[in-house]
């Protein structure tokens, strides 16, 4: 497994780099000694984090610490080429005293001072869905600053990075996150993708089982074992969460 170090990355400003990365095939499993926010702008990818799989699609993003081990794989050649907007940063970009720290716990503690209530836990196993494109607009602005390098761009990058992280912590406080799905099987990740992105449509367990070449009983039994709820209970919960967010 490769480890990417900060000296291996060209940071457009001190400790910050933002760029578009196409996923044409496989990006092998790797770790790094900085934080990463990976936002899927187009297409779909299979993202593997510490051995757990999830299918990410347009508008999904993950927030990873320096302790994460992960990889990307394009799902299907006939689908649009996946494009990731990648933000890499070292915590000392905002907090000089965190030089050398790569844990979510330390970063969360630093941001806790900006909130009146406890932030709660954040882990590498969270998937975020940017339904209103608030996160994308901030990351796109950062990418533009990195590309153009106008006078004062490094200060602008720090300012927007802080706003970006504040928005992410707000999303956590509001419960607007999902967990990485347990298990390693690619087909199970695909099933969760279908439910997570089509839960507003009628759900047929029979059709879902047939699509993935398994019996209804096998699908329902394994889904309940992994997720702790039935398929219909899972979908209903997603619908309720969606209604609360509106």
């Amino acid at each position: 497994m490769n480890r990417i170090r900060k000296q291996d990355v060209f940071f457009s400003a001190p400790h910050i780099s933002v760029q578009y990365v196409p996923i044409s095939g496989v990006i092998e499993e790797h770790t790094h000694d900085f934080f990463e926010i990976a936002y899927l702008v187009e297409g779909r990818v299979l993202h593997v984090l510490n051995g757990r799989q999830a299918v990410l699609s347009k508008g999904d993003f993950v927030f990873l610490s320096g302790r994460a081990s992960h990889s990307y794989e394009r799902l299907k050649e006939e689908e649009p080429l996946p494009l990731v907007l990648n933000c890499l940063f070292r915590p000392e970009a905002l907090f000089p005293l965190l030089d050398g720290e790569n844990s979510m716990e330390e970063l969360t503690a630093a941001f806790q001072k900006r909130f009146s209530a406890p932030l709660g836990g954040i882990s590498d196993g969270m998937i975020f869905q940017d339904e209103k494109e608030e996160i994308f607009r901030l990351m796109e602005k950062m990418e533009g600053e990195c590309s153009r390098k106008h006078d004062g761009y490094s200060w602008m990058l720090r300012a927007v990075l802080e706003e970006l992280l504040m928005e992410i912590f707000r999303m956590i406080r509001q419960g607007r996150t999902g967990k990485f799905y347990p298990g390693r099987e690619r087909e199970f990740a695909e099933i969760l993708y279908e439910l997570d992105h089509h839960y507003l449509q009628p759900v047929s367990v029979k059709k879902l089982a047939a699509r993935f070449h398994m019996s209804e009983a096998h699908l329902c039994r394994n889904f309940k074992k992994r997720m702790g709820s039935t398929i219909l209970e899972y979908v209903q919960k997603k619908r309720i969460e969606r209604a609360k967010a509106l």
Side-chain angles (χ1 to χ4, degrees):
M1 175 173 35
N2 295 327
R3 180 165 182 79
I4 303 173
R5 300 164 299 173
K6 61 180 180 180
Q7 56 264 40
D8 299 325
V9 177
F10 173 73
F11 287 97
S12 301
H15 312 302
I16 304 173
S17 175
V18 184
Q19 61 182 331
Y20 285 98
V21 180
I23 311 295
S24 57
V26 177
I27 294 182
E28 299 291 345
E29 184 179 8
H30 61 279
T31 61
H32 34 66
D33 62 358
F34 41 79
F35 287 85
E36 176 179 351
I37 301 171
Y39 188 110
L40 199 63
V41 179
E42 190 63 68
R44 293 194 299 155
V45 296
L46 182 71
H47 185 243
V48 182
L49 173 65
N50 298 329
R52 294 172 293 169
Q53 294 184 348
V55 176
L56 304 182
S57 61
K58 183 177 180 179
D60 291 343
F61 69 95
V62 291
F63 183 19
L64 308 173
S65 73
R67 299 175 179 177
S69 169
H70 69 126
S71 65
Y72 299 95
E73 180 182 349
R74 183 180 184 180
L75 277 174
K76 297 180 180 179
E77 290 290 333
E78 61 270 22
E79 293 185 355
L81 180 68
L83 183 64
V84 172
L85 182 52
N86 220 17
C87 174
L88 311 176
F89 69 93
R90 297 279 300 170
E92 55 264 39
L94 300 177
F95 306 103
L97 293 179
L98 291 184
D99 186 12
E101 292 290 345
N102 293 306
S103 71
M104 284 294 183
E105 293 81 3
E106 292 290 342
L107 188 65
T108 302
F111 269 90
Q112 179 61 70
K113 300 174 183 178
R114 292 159 167 73
F115 290 84
S116 58
L119 285 173
I122 176 174
S123 72
D124 289 312
M126 289 182 174
I127 300 173
F128 300 79
Q129 295 177 336
D130 186 28
E131 296 177 345
K132 299 180 180 180
E133 296 191 347
E134 300 161 310
I135 301 301
F136 174 70
R137 284 192 287 269
L138 291 172
M139 293 183 68
E140 188 178 40
K141 183 174 183 178
M142 292 178 71
E143 193 278 332
E145 292 289 341
C146 285
S147 298
R148 294 188 292 269
K149 294 183 174 59
H150 289 167
D151 190 22
Y153 79 95
S154 62
W155 290 101
M156 182 66 78
L157 276 173
R158 291 188 182 94
V160 182
L161 174 61
E162 183 157 6
E163 183 179 357
L164 173 64
L165 293 174
M166 287 289 291
E167 288 292 348
I168 291 174
F169 280 114
R170 277 182 172 176
M171 292 177 76
I172 296 168
R173 291 269 298 136
Q174 296 166 2
R176 294 161 57 195
T177 66
K179 290 292 184 181
F180 265 89
Y181 314 131
R184 299 172 180 270
E185 292 84 351
R186 182 174 182 142
E187 71 175 13
F188 192 75
E190 285 271 19
I191 289 170
L192 266 295
Y193 167 82
E194 290 296 322
L195 295 176
D196 283 345
H197 292 81
H198 301 95
Y199 60 87
L200 295 179
Q201 302 173 11
V203 175
S204 169
V205 176
K206 182 178 181 179
K207 290 181 179 179
L208 193 63
R211 177 175 175 180
F212 291 95
H213 309 289
M214 61 181 71
S215 69
E216 291 182 60
H218 178 79
L219 172 59
C220 292
R221 182 171 58 252
N222 279 277
F223 191 93
K224 181 69 177 290
K225 181 179 178 181
R226 293 170 182 274
M227 304 304 296
S229 64
T230 68
I231 292 175
L232 296 182
E233 288 171 345
Y234 180 83
V235 169
Q236 184 62 21
K237 182 180 178 182
K238 297 288 291 185
R239 290 170 177 166
I240 292 172
E241 290 174 350
R242 168 74 175 182
K244 289 180 177 179
L246 295 178

